[in-house]
Amino acid sequence: MRRLIVLVLAVMLVGLTGCNKFNQIKLNEASLEKLTPHGLRGVDIDMMIEVDNPAMQLKISDVEVFVKHSGKVLGKVTVDPFIMKARSVEQYELKARMVLDEKVTIYDVLMLLNNDFIAKCAVDMTAKGTLRGGLSKTIKKNDVPLKKLMEYAE
C-alpha cells in the first residue's frame, strides 16, 4: 500500500511539473496543402502545421471546430487524430474534413470570400489531449475570431 501511495505521488509530481510546459506549446505556422471536394456540402483538407512542443508526447484527438457568423453555424471541421512528439519542433501533415451546415446557402459560401464577412466570423473549438499514460483533458475555446486563426496560414 505504501508503494502505491509513493507511486501515485511520484506520478502526480511528474504530471504537475510537466503541466506548465503544456501552456508553452506554440503553433509556429500552418498552411493549406490541398482541398478536395467531398460531395456537395463538404471538402477534404490536407494541411501542414509546425508545432513547438516543449512538453511530453501528446495525442491530439476529437478535434471539432464550428465556424459561425452572427451566431449561425456555417460548418463543422473535424481533424484526424495525430501525435505530437515530445520536446521537439516538428511539422505535421493533418487531414481534416469540413462539412457545411444544412441551413447554409450558396450566398453564405460566396460571402466567405469577402474579408469583411470573415472578420465577423468566429469559431468554437474542442480538442482532447492524451498523455502516453492515458491521462487526458478536453480543451474548449469559444468565440475565437476566425481572422486570428487565418493569420497563421498567411
Side-chain angles (χ1 to χ4, degrees):
M1 182 67 155
R2 186 173 183 207
R3 284 186 190 169
L4 179 63
I5 293 171
V6 170
L7 180 62
V8 168
L9 289 175
V11 169
M12 286 176 53
L13 181 61
V14 169
L16 289 175
T17 57
C19 285
N20 186 36
K21 292 196 180 204
F22 287 114
N23 293 330
Q24 298 172 7
I25 294 174
K26 291 188 298 189
L27 177 64
N28 292 336
E29 66 180 90
S31 63
L32 291 174
E33 301 294 315
K34 186 169 122 181
L35 296 173
T36 307
H38 183 84
L40 295 174
R41 302 194 75 75
V43 63
D44 290 332
I45 306 165
D46 292 345
M47 63 182 127
M48 187 71 71
I49 63 169
E50 182 180 281
V51 177
D52 180 357
N53 178 15
M56 300 185 295
Q57 177 177 301
L58 189 64
K59 178 182 178 185
I60 306 297
S61 61
D62 301 335
V63 178
E64 291 185 336
V65 180
F66 291 91
V67 181
K68 305 181 304 184
H69 183 270
S70 301
K72 176 182 178 182
V73 174
L74 300 176
K76 174 182 170 184
V77 179
T78 55
V79 180
D80 289 349
F82 67 100
I83 296 176
M84 287 193 308
K85 294 180 183 174
R87 294 172 286 288
S88 66
V89 177
E90 294 282 334
Q91 288 191 339
Y92 301 96
E93 187 176 325
L94 303 182
K95 303 235 181 256
R97 176 170 287 166
M98 179 174 186
V99 178
L100 295 175
D101 191 80
E102 293 174 1
K103 297 174 187 169
V104 171
T105 65
I106 191 71
Y107 177 76
D108 294 325
V109 174
L110 292 174
M111 288 303 293
L112 286 173
L113 302 174
N114 181 329
N115 284 336
D116 293 332
F117 186 83
I118 289 174
K120 296 176 184 170
C121 287
V123 298
D124 293 344
M125 305 181 288
T126 61
K128 180 178 176 183
T130 305
L131 298 174
R132 195 179 316 175
L135 293 173
S136 66
K137 180 176 182 175
T138 300
I139 299 165
K140 296 179 182 183
K141 298 277 185 184
N142 292 325
D143 298 320
V144 177
L146 181 60
K147 192 161 183 93
K148 181 178 177 183
L149 292 177
M150 292 181 71
E151 289 172 2
Y152 284 110
E154 292 178 348

